PDB file of all heavy atoms in Angstrom:
ATOM      1  N   LEU A  82       1.907   5.327   7.976  1.00  0.00           N
ATOM      2  CA  LEU A  82       3.363   5.478   7.810  1.00  0.00           C
ATOM      3  C   LEU A  82       4.098   4.700   8.855  1.00  0.00           C
ATOM      4  O   LEU A  82       5.268   4.342   8.664  1.00  0.00           O
ATOM      5  CB  LEU A  82       3.748   6.934   7.773  1.00  0.00           C
ATOM      6  CG  LEU A  82       3.252   7.722   6.534  1.00  0.00           C
ATOM      7  CD1 LEU A  82       3.582   9.199   6.701  1.00  0.00           C
ATOM      8  CD2 LEU A  82       3.874   7.177   5.262  1.00  0.00           C
ATOM      9  N   ASP A  83       3.527   4.500   9.992  1.00  0.00           N
ATOM     10  CA  ASP A  83       4.216   3.750  11.081  1.00  0.00           C
ATOM     11  C   ASP A  83       3.908   2.270  11.070  1.00  0.00           C
ATOM     12  O   ASP A  83       4.639   1.483  11.717  1.00  0.00           O
ATOM     13  CB  ASP A  83       3.837   4.331  12.441  1.00  0.00           C
ATOM     14  CG  ASP A  83       4.489   5.665  12.731  1.00  0.00           C
ATOM     15  OD1 ASP A  83       5.452   6.062  11.965  1.00  0.00           O
ATOM     16  OD2 ASP A  83       4.043   6.362  13.632  1.00  0.00           O
ATOM     17  N   HIS A  84       2.788   1.807  10.495  1.00  0.00           N
ATOM     18  CA  HIS A  84       2.365   0.418  10.643  1.00  0.00           C
ATOM     19  C   HIS A  84       2.283  -0.391   9.347  1.00  0.00           C
ATOM     20  O   HIS A  84       1.940  -1.571   9.402  1.00  0.00           O
ATOM     21  CB  HIS A  84       1.034   0.360  11.359  1.00  0.00           C
ATOM     22  CG  HIS A  84       1.093   0.892  12.739  1.00  0.00           C
ATOM     23  ND1 HIS A  84       1.580   0.130  13.827  1.00  0.00           N
ATOM     24  CD2 HIS A  84       0.876   2.119  13.310  1.00  0.00           C
ATOM     25  CE1 HIS A  84       1.590   0.841  14.917  1.00  0.00           C
ATOM     26  NE2 HIS A  84       1.132   2.032  14.657  1.00  0.00           N
ATOM     27  N   PHE A  85       2.561   0.207   8.221  1.00  0.00           N
ATOM     28  CA  PHE A  85       2.425  -0.422   6.981  1.00  0.00           C
ATOM     29  C   PHE A  85       3.677  -0.385   6.116  1.00  0.00           C
ATOM     30  O   PHE A  85       4.364   0.648   6.055  1.00  0.00           O
ATOM     31  CB  PHE A  85       1.255   0.122   6.140  1.00  0.00           C
ATOM     32  CG  PHE A  85      -0.107  -0.202   6.733  1.00  0.00           C
ATOM     33  CD1 PHE A  85      -0.683   0.653   7.654  1.00  0.00           C
ATOM     34  CD2 PHE A  85      -0.769  -1.389   6.401  1.00  0.00           C
ATOM     35  CE1 PHE A  85      -1.907   0.344   8.224  1.00  0.00           C
ATOM     36  CE2 PHE A  85      -1.983  -1.710   6.950  1.00  0.00           C
ATOM     37  CZ  PHE A  85      -2.553  -0.847   7.849  1.00  0.00           C
ATOM     38  N   HIS A  86       3.969  -1.510   5.443  1.00  0.00           N
ATOM     39  CA  HIS A  86       4.978  -1.606   4.406  1.00  0.00           C
ATOM     40  C   HIS A  86       4.184  -1.945   3.142  1.00  0.00           C
ATOM     41  O   HIS A  86       3.134  -2.618   3.229  1.00  0.00           O
ATOM     42  CB  HIS A  86       5.988  -2.722   4.734  1.00  0.00           C
ATOM     43  CG  HIS A  86       6.695  -2.482   6.031  1.00  0.00           C
ATOM     44  ND1 HIS A  86       7.870  -1.814   6.156  1.00  0.00           N
ATOM     45  CD2 HIS A  86       6.356  -2.830   7.274  1.00  0.00           C
ATOM     46  CE1 HIS A  86       8.239  -1.779   7.400  1.00  0.00           C
ATOM     47  NE2 HIS A  86       7.332  -2.393   8.113  1.00  0.00           N
ATOM     48  N   ILE A  87       4.678  -1.541   2.005  1.00  0.00           N
ATOM     49  CA  ILE A  87       3.986  -1.805   0.779  1.00  0.00           C
ATOM     50  C   ILE A  87       4.888  -2.585  -0.207  1.00  0.00           C
ATOM     51  O   ILE A  87       6.087  -2.514  -0.112  1.00  0.00           O
ATOM     52  CB  ILE A  87       3.505  -0.498   0.117  1.00  0.00           C
ATOM     53  CG1 ILE A  87       4.610   0.386  -0.355  1.00  0.00           C
ATOM     54  CG2 ILE A  87       2.556   0.307   1.088  1.00  0.00           C
ATOM     55  CD1 ILE A  87       4.178   1.619  -1.107  1.00  0.00           C
ATOM     56  N   THR A  88       4.244  -3.339  -1.077  1.00  0.00           N
ATOM     57  CA  THR A  88       5.020  -4.062  -2.064  1.00  0.00           C
ATOM     58  C   THR A  88       4.670  -3.534  -3.450  1.00  0.00           C
ATOM     59  O   THR A  88       3.675  -2.838  -3.642  1.00  0.00           O
ATOM     60  CB  THR A  88       4.689  -5.561  -2.057  1.00  0.00           C
ATOM     61  OG1 THR A  88       3.464  -5.843  -2.678  1.00  0.00           O
ATOM     62  CG2 THR A  88       4.724  -6.162  -0.669  1.00  0.00           C
ATOM     63  N   THR A  89       5.531  -3.837  -4.382  1.00  0.00           N
ATOM     64  CA  THR A  89       5.395  -3.393  -5.807  1.00  0.00           C
ATOM     65  C   THR A  89       4.496  -4.359  -6.606  1.00  0.00           C
ATOM     66  O   THR A  89       4.276  -4.091  -7.787  1.00  0.00           O
ATOM     67  CB  THR A  89       6.744  -3.295  -6.452  1.00  0.00           C
ATOM     68  OG1 THR A  89       7.328  -4.628  -6.527  1.00  0.00           O
ATOM     69  CG2 THR A  89       7.626  -2.342  -5.695  1.00  0.00           C
ATOM     70  N   SER A  90       3.951  -5.384  -6.007  1.00  0.00           N
ATOM     71  CA  SER A  90       3.235  -6.373  -6.770  1.00  0.00           C
ATOM     72  C   SER A  90       2.167  -5.786  -7.706  1.00  0.00           C
ATOM     73  O   SER A  90       1.310  -4.980  -7.278  1.00  0.00           O
ATOM     74  CB  SER A  90       2.517  -7.388  -5.795  1.00  0.00           C
ATOM     75  OG  SER A  90       1.609  -6.705  -4.981  1.00  0.00           O
ATOM     76  N   GLY A  91       2.300  -6.091  -8.960  1.00  0.00           N
ATOM     77  CA  GLY A  91       1.346  -5.592  -9.952  1.00  0.00           C
ATOM     78  C   GLY A  91       1.463  -4.152 -10.245  1.00  0.00           C
ATOM     79  O   GLY A  91       0.644  -3.606 -11.027  1.00  0.00           O
ATOM     80  N   MET A  92       2.434  -3.458  -9.649  1.00  0.00           N
ATOM     81  CA  MET A  92       2.548  -1.998  -9.851  1.00  0.00           C
ATOM     82  C   MET A  92       3.989  -1.605 -10.061  1.00  0.00           C
ATOM     83  O   MET A  92       4.478  -0.625  -9.515  1.00  0.00           O
ATOM     84  CB  MET A  92       1.995  -1.291  -8.572  1.00  0.00           C
ATOM     85  CG  MET A  92       0.532  -1.506  -8.311  1.00  0.00           C
ATOM     86  SD  MET A  92      -0.488  -0.717  -9.525  1.00  0.00           S
ATOM     87  CE  MET A  92      -0.260   1.020  -9.142  1.00  0.00           C
ATOM     88  N   ASN A  93       4.747  -2.397 -10.840  1.00  0.00           N
ATOM     89  CA  ASN A  93       6.118  -2.081 -11.109  1.00  0.00           C
ATOM     90  C   ASN A  93       6.241  -1.026 -12.182  1.00  0.00           C
ATOM     91  O   ASN A  93       6.830  -1.260 -13.249  1.00  0.00           O
ATOM     92  CB  ASN A  93       6.883  -3.347 -11.473  1.00  0.00           C
ATOM     93  CG  ASN A  93       6.927  -4.331 -10.305  1.00  0.00           C
ATOM     94  OD1 ASN A  93       7.424  -3.946  -9.211  1.00  0.00           O
ATOM     95  ND2 ASN A  93       6.483  -5.530 -10.522  1.00  0.00           N
ATOM     96  N   TYR A  94       5.774   0.198 -11.896  1.00  0.00           N
ATOM     97  CA  TYR A  94       5.745   1.282 -12.828  1.00  0.00           C
ATOM     98  C   TYR A  94       6.514   2.421 -12.200  1.00  0.00           C
ATOM     99  O   TYR A  94       6.331   2.753 -11.046  1.00  0.00           O
ATOM    100  CB  TYR A  94       4.302   1.713 -13.142  1.00  0.00           C
ATOM    101  CG  TYR A  94       3.396   0.614 -13.481  1.00  0.00           C
ATOM    102  CD1 TYR A  94       2.265   0.348 -12.714  1.00  0.00           C
ATOM    103  CD2 TYR A  94       3.666  -0.274 -14.498  1.00  0.00           C
ATOM    104  CE1 TYR A  94       1.384  -0.748 -13.053  1.00  0.00           C
ATOM    105  CE2 TYR A  94       2.814  -1.274 -14.879  1.00  0.00           C
ATOM    106  CZ  TYR A  94       1.655  -1.545 -14.142  1.00  0.00           C
ATOM    107  OH  TYR A  94       0.829  -2.556 -14.424  1.00  0.00           O
ATOM    108  N   GLY A  95       7.329   3.069 -13.003  1.00  0.00           N
ATOM    109  CA  GLY A  95       8.184   4.152 -12.539  1.00  0.00           C
ATOM    110  C   GLY A  95       7.528   5.245 -11.784  1.00  0.00           C
ATOM    111  O   GLY A  95       7.889   5.588 -10.646  1.00  0.00           O
ATOM    112  N   PRO A  96       6.558   5.963 -12.376  1.00  0.00           N
ATOM    113  CA  PRO A  96       5.938   7.122 -11.687  1.00  0.00           C
ATOM    114  C   PRO A  96       5.259   6.695 -10.350  1.00  0.00           C
ATOM    115  O   PRO A  96       5.371   7.441  -9.392  1.00  0.00           O
ATOM    116  CB  PRO A  96       4.865   7.620 -12.694  1.00  0.00           C
ATOM    117  CG  PRO A  96       5.368   7.158 -14.026  1.00  0.00           C
ATOM    118  CD  PRO A  96       6.022   5.803 -13.771  1.00  0.00           C
ATOM    119  N   GLN A  97       4.645   5.598 -10.331  1.00  0.00           N
ATOM    120  CA  GLN A  97       3.995   5.119  -9.117  1.00  0.00           C
ATOM    121  C   GLN A  97       5.011   4.790  -8.037  1.00  0.00           C
ATOM    122  O   GLN A  97       4.792   5.093  -6.841  1.00  0.00           O
ATOM    123  CB  GLN A  97       3.076   3.934  -9.377  1.00  0.00           C
ATOM    124  CG  GLN A  97       1.822   4.293 -10.159  1.00  0.00           C
ATOM    125  CD  GLN A  97       2.032   4.384 -11.670  1.00  0.00           C
ATOM    126  OE1 GLN A  97       3.158   4.294 -12.137  1.00  0.00           O
ATOM    127  NE2 GLN A  97       0.951   4.627 -12.378  1.00  0.00           N
ATOM    128  N   LEU A  98       6.135   4.140  -8.399  1.00  0.00           N
ATOM    129  CA  LEU A  98       7.104   3.833  -7.447  1.00  0.00           C
ATOM    130  C   LEU A  98       7.785   5.102  -6.932  1.00  0.00           C
ATOM    131  O   LEU A  98       8.032   5.243  -5.721  1.00  0.00           O
ATOM    132  CB  LEU A  98       8.199   2.940  -8.052  1.00  0.00           C
ATOM    133  CG  LEU A  98       9.350   2.539  -7.148  1.00  0.00           C
ATOM    134  CD1 LEU A  98       8.815   1.792  -5.903  1.00  0.00           C
ATOM    135  CD2 LEU A  98      10.369   1.650  -7.864  1.00  0.00           C
ATOM    136  N   VAL A  99       8.128   6.022  -7.786  1.00  0.00           N
ATOM    137  CA  VAL A  99       8.756   7.270  -7.354  1.00  0.00           C
ATOM    138  C   VAL A  99       7.817   8.011  -6.371  1.00  0.00           C
ATOM    139  O   VAL A  99       8.258   8.491  -5.314  1.00  0.00           O
ATOM    140  CB  VAL A  99       9.116   8.172  -8.581  1.00  0.00           C
ATOM    141  CG1 VAL A  99       9.499   9.570  -8.113  1.00  0.00           C
ATOM    142  CG2 VAL A  99      10.197   7.504  -9.418  1.00  0.00           C
ATOM    143  N   MET A 100       6.541   8.117  -6.684  1.00  0.00           N
ATOM    144  CA  MET A 100       5.620   8.746  -5.776  1.00  0.00           C
ATOM    145  C   MET A 100       5.525   8.017  -4.439  1.00  0.00           C
ATOM    146  O   MET A 100       5.578   8.628  -3.352  1.00  0.00           O
ATOM    147  CB  MET A 100       4.170   8.841  -6.374  1.00  0.00           C
ATOM    148  CG  MET A 100       3.286   9.718  -5.523  1.00  0.00           C
ATOM    149  SD  MET A 100       1.630   9.136  -5.109  1.00  0.00           S
ATOM    150  CE  MET A 100       1.746   7.542  -4.420  1.00  0.00           C
ATOM    151  N   SER A 101       5.540   6.672  -4.463  1.00  0.00           N
ATOM    152  CA  SER A 101       5.472   5.938  -3.224  1.00  0.00           C
ATOM    153  C   SER A 101       6.721   6.137  -2.412  1.00  0.00           C
ATOM    154  O   SER A 101       6.667   6.235  -1.181  1.00  0.00           O
ATOM    155  CB  SER A 101       5.257   4.431  -3.584  1.00  0.00           C
ATOM    156  OG  SER A 101       4.021   4.281  -4.165  1.00  0.00           O
ATOM    157  N   ILE A 102       7.858   6.202  -3.037  1.00  0.00           N
ATOM    158  CA  ILE A 102       9.077   6.472  -2.291  1.00  0.00           C
ATOM    159  C   ILE A 102       9.035   7.836  -1.684  1.00  0.00           C
ATOM    160  O   ILE A 102       9.405   8.018  -0.486  1.00  0.00           O
ATOM    161  CB  ILE A 102      10.314   6.355  -3.206  1.00  0.00           C
ATOM    162  CG1 ILE A 102      10.602   4.917  -3.630  1.00  0.00           C
ATOM    163  CG2 ILE A 102      11.579   6.943  -2.551  1.00  0.00           C
ATOM    164  CD1 ILE A 102      11.648   4.696  -4.745  1.00  0.00           C
ATOM    165  N   GLN A 103       8.530   8.848  -2.387  1.00  0.00           N
ATOM    166  CA  GLN A 103       8.380  10.173  -1.801  1.00  0.00           C
ATOM    167  C   GLN A 103       7.405  10.142  -0.614  1.00  0.00           C
ATOM    168  O   GLN A 103       7.604  10.908   0.326  1.00  0.00           O
ATOM    169  CB  GLN A 103       7.874  11.139  -2.857  1.00  0.00           C
ATOM    170  CG  GLN A 103       8.909  11.426  -3.921  1.00  0.00           C
ATOM    171  CD  GLN A 103       8.310  12.224  -5.121  1.00  0.00           C
ATOM    172  OE1 GLN A 103       7.075  12.310  -5.304  1.00  0.00           O
ATOM    173  NE2 GLN A 103       9.174  12.804  -5.943  1.00  0.00           N
ATOM    174  N   VAL A 104       6.395   9.380  -0.670  1.00  0.00           N
ATOM    175  CA  VAL A 104       5.365   9.406   0.351  1.00  0.00           C
ATOM    176  C   VAL A 104       5.668   8.531   1.576  1.00  0.00           C
ATOM    177  O   VAL A 104       5.628   8.974   2.684  1.00  0.00           O
ATOM    178  CB  VAL A 104       3.967   9.007  -0.207  1.00  0.00           C
ATOM    179  CG1 VAL A 104       2.874   8.806   0.882  1.00  0.00           C
ATOM    180  CG2 VAL A 104       3.513   9.998  -1.258  1.00  0.00           C
ATOM    181  N   VAL A 105       6.042   7.273   1.337  1.00  0.00           N
ATOM    182  CA  VAL A 105       6.265   6.336   2.447  1.00  0.00           C
ATOM    183  C   VAL A 105       7.752   6.118   2.742  1.00  0.00           C
ATOM    184  O   VAL A 105       8.091   5.622   3.785  1.00  0.00           O
ATOM    185  CB  VAL A 105       5.565   4.958   2.247  1.00  0.00           C
ATOM    186  CG1 VAL A 105       4.085   5.175   2.008  1.00  0.00           C
ATOM    187  CG2 VAL A 105       6.200   4.133   1.129  1.00  0.00           C
ATOM    188  N   GLY A 106       8.592   6.432   1.829  1.00  0.00           N
ATOM    189  CA  GLY A 106      10.059   6.188   1.996  1.00  0.00           C
ATOM    190  C   GLY A 106      10.452   4.834   1.435  1.00  0.00           C
ATOM    191  O   GLY A 106       9.723   3.889   1.501  1.00  0.00           O
ATOM    192  N   VAL A 107      11.673   4.823   0.911  1.00  0.00           N
ATOM    193  CA  VAL A 107      12.178   3.628   0.250  1.00  0.00           C
ATOM    194  C   VAL A 107      12.313   2.481   1.253  1.00  0.00           C
ATOM    195  O   VAL A 107      12.223   1.288   0.864  1.00  0.00           O
ATOM    196  CB  VAL A 107      13.522   3.896  -0.497  1.00  0.00           C
ATOM    197  CG1 VAL A 107      14.631   4.137   0.488  1.00  0.00           C
ATOM    198  CG2 VAL A 107      13.778   2.789  -1.471  1.00  0.00           C
ATOM    199  N   ASP A 108      12.492   2.724   2.513  1.00  0.00           N
ATOM    200  CA  ASP A 108      12.630   1.694   3.511  1.00  0.00           C
ATOM    201  C   ASP A 108      11.388   0.923   3.807  1.00  0.00           C
ATOM    202  O   ASP A 108      11.420  -0.085   4.486  1.00  0.00           O
ATOM    203  CB  ASP A 108      13.192   2.304   4.847  1.00  0.00           C
ATOM    204  CG  ASP A 108      14.658   2.773   4.696  1.00  0.00           C
ATOM    205  OD1 ASP A 108      15.365   2.251   3.862  1.00  0.00           O
ATOM    206  OD2 ASP A 108      14.985   3.769   5.357  1.00  0.00           O
ATOM    207  N   ARG A 109      10.225   1.391   3.301  1.00  0.00           N
ATOM    208  CA  ARG A 109       8.976   0.675   3.553  1.00  0.00           C
ATOM    209  C   ARG A 109       8.422   0.009   2.293  1.00  0.00           C
ATOM    210  O   ARG A 109       7.260  -0.326   2.239  1.00  0.00           O
ATOM    211  CB  ARG A 109       7.976   1.669   4.119  1.00  0.00           C
ATOM    212  CG  ARG A 109       8.332   2.042   5.623  1.00  0.00           C
ATOM    213  CD  ARG A 109       7.103   2.558   6.298  1.00  0.00           C
ATOM    214  NE  ARG A 109       7.416   2.539   7.724  1.00  0.00           N
ATOM    215  CZ  ARG A 109       6.994   1.600   8.576  1.00  0.00           C
ATOM    216  NH1 ARG A 109       6.267   0.578   8.165  1.00  0.00           N
ATOM    217  NH2 ARG A 109       7.306   1.625   9.873  1.00  0.00           N
ATOM    218  N   ILE A 110       9.247  -0.130   1.248  1.00  0.00           N
ATOM    219  CA  ILE A 110       8.771  -0.715  -0.021  1.00  0.00           C
ATOM    220  C   ILE A 110       9.553  -1.974  -0.300  1.00  0.00           C
ATOM    221  O   ILE A 110      10.796  -2.041  -0.174  1.00  0.00           O
ATOM    222  CB  ILE A 110       8.972   0.320  -1.147  1.00  0.00           C
ATOM    223  CG1 ILE A 110       8.209   1.573  -0.843  1.00  0.00           C
ATOM    224  CG2 ILE A 110       8.519  -0.332  -2.481  1.00  0.00           C
ATOM    225  CD1 ILE A 110       8.369   2.695  -1.882  1.00  0.00           C
ATOM    226  N   LEU A 111       8.826  -3.032  -0.577  1.00  0.00           N
ATOM    227  CA  LEU A 111       9.413  -4.312  -0.911  1.00  0.00           C
ATOM    228  C   LEU A 111       9.001  -4.757  -2.291  1.00  0.00           C
ATOM    229  O   LEU A 111       7.878  -4.523  -2.685  1.00  0.00           O
ATOM    230  CB  LEU A 111       8.926  -5.390   0.090  1.00  0.00           C
ATOM    231  CG  LEU A 111       9.346  -5.278   1.576  1.00  0.00           C
ATOM    232  CD1 LEU A 111       8.594  -4.209   2.261  1.00  0.00           C
ATOM    233  CD2 LEU A 111       9.108  -6.629   2.230  1.00  0.00           C
ATOM    234  N   PHE A 112       9.940  -5.398  -2.995  1.00  0.00           N
ATOM    235  CA  PHE A 112       9.579  -5.908  -4.314  1.00  0.00           C
ATOM    236  C   PHE A 112       8.690  -7.120  -4.203  1.00  0.00           C
ATOM    237  O   PHE A 112       8.853  -7.930  -3.282  1.00  0.00           O
ATOM    238  CB  PHE A 112      10.890  -6.339  -5.033  1.00  0.00           C
ATOM    239  CG  PHE A 112      10.591  -7.055  -6.377  1.00  0.00           C
ATOM    240  CD1 PHE A 112      10.248  -6.315  -7.469  1.00  0.00           C
ATOM    241  CD2 PHE A 112      10.598  -8.387  -6.457  1.00  0.00           C
ATOM    242  CE1 PHE A 112       9.941  -6.932  -8.669  1.00  0.00           C
ATOM    243  CE2 PHE A 112      10.293  -9.060  -7.607  1.00  0.00           C
ATOM    244  CZ  PHE A 112       9.986  -8.324  -8.759  1.00  0.00           C
ATOM    245  N   ALA A 113       7.750  -7.262  -5.055  1.00  0.00           N
ATOM    246  CA  ALA A 113       6.919  -8.448  -5.199  1.00  0.00           C
ATOM    247  C   ALA A 113       6.413  -8.525  -6.595  1.00  0.00           C
ATOM    248  O   ALA A 113       6.204  -7.499  -7.271  1.00  0.00           O
ATOM    249  CB  ALA A 113       5.763  -8.340  -4.230  1.00  0.00           C
ATOM    250  N   ALA A 114       6.173  -9.738  -7.038  1.00  0.00           N
ATOM    251  CA  ALA A 114       5.600  -9.997  -8.342  1.00  0.00           C
ATOM    252  C   ALA A 114       4.092 -10.327  -8.141  1.00  0.00           C
ATOM    253  O   ALA A 114       3.709 -10.662  -7.010  1.00  0.00           O
ATOM    254  CB  ALA A 114       6.297 -11.159  -9.042  1.00  0.00           C
ATOM    255  N   ASP A 115       3.330 -10.209  -9.152  1.00  0.00           N
ATOM    256  CA  ASP A 115       1.876 -10.500  -9.089  1.00  0.00           C
ATOM    257  C   ASP A 115       1.480 -11.733  -9.898  1.00  0.00           C
ATOM    258  O   ASP A 115       0.521 -11.677 -10.568  1.00  0.00           O
ATOM    259  CB  ASP A 115       1.111  -9.210  -9.580  1.00  0.00           C
ATOM    260  CG  ASP A 115      -0.259  -9.072  -8.994  1.00  0.00           C
ATOM    261  OD1 ASP A 115      -0.566  -9.747  -7.979  1.00  0.00           O
ATOM    262  OD2 ASP A 115      -1.071  -8.333  -9.545  1.00  0.00           O
ATOM    263  N   TRP A 116       2.335 -12.734  -9.768  1.00  0.00           N
ATOM    264  CA  TRP A 116       2.029 -14.023 -10.481  1.00  0.00           C
ATOM    265  C   TRP A 116       0.828 -14.606  -9.839  1.00  0.00           C
ATOM    266  O   TRP A 116       0.688 -14.519  -8.639  1.00  0.00           O
ATOM    267  CB  TRP A 116       3.253 -14.916 -10.340  1.00  0.00           C
ATOM    268  CG  TRP A 116       3.094 -16.160 -11.174  1.00  0.00           C
ATOM    269  CD1 TRP A 116       3.477 -16.262 -12.473  1.00  0.00           C
ATOM    270  CD2 TRP A 116       2.535 -17.364 -10.771  1.00  0.00           C
ATOM    271  NE1 TRP A 116       3.119 -17.558 -12.957  1.00  0.00           N
ATOM    272  CE2 TRP A 116       2.585 -18.279 -11.904  1.00  0.00           C
ATOM    273  CE3 TRP A 116       1.972 -17.856  -9.596  1.00  0.00           C
ATOM    274  CZ2 TRP A 116       2.082 -19.530 -11.859  1.00  0.00           C
ATOM    275  CZ3 TRP A 116       1.490 -19.157  -9.584  1.00  0.00           C
ATOM    276  CH2 TRP A 116       1.557 -19.964 -10.691  1.00  0.00           C
TER     277      TRP A 116
END
Side-chain angles (χ1 to χ4, degrees):
L82 294 172
D83 287 346
H84 295 279
F85 290 90
H86 301 268
I87 66 175
T88 76
T89 63
S90 60
M92 296 292 290
N93 293 305
Y94 312 121
Q97 289 80 356
L98 179 60
V99 170
M100 190 229 49
S101 296
I102 290 170
Q103 291 171 343
V104 172
V105 304
V107 71
D108 293 329
R109 290 201 163 261
I110 301 173
L111 292 75
F112 173 78
D115 205 17
W116 187 89

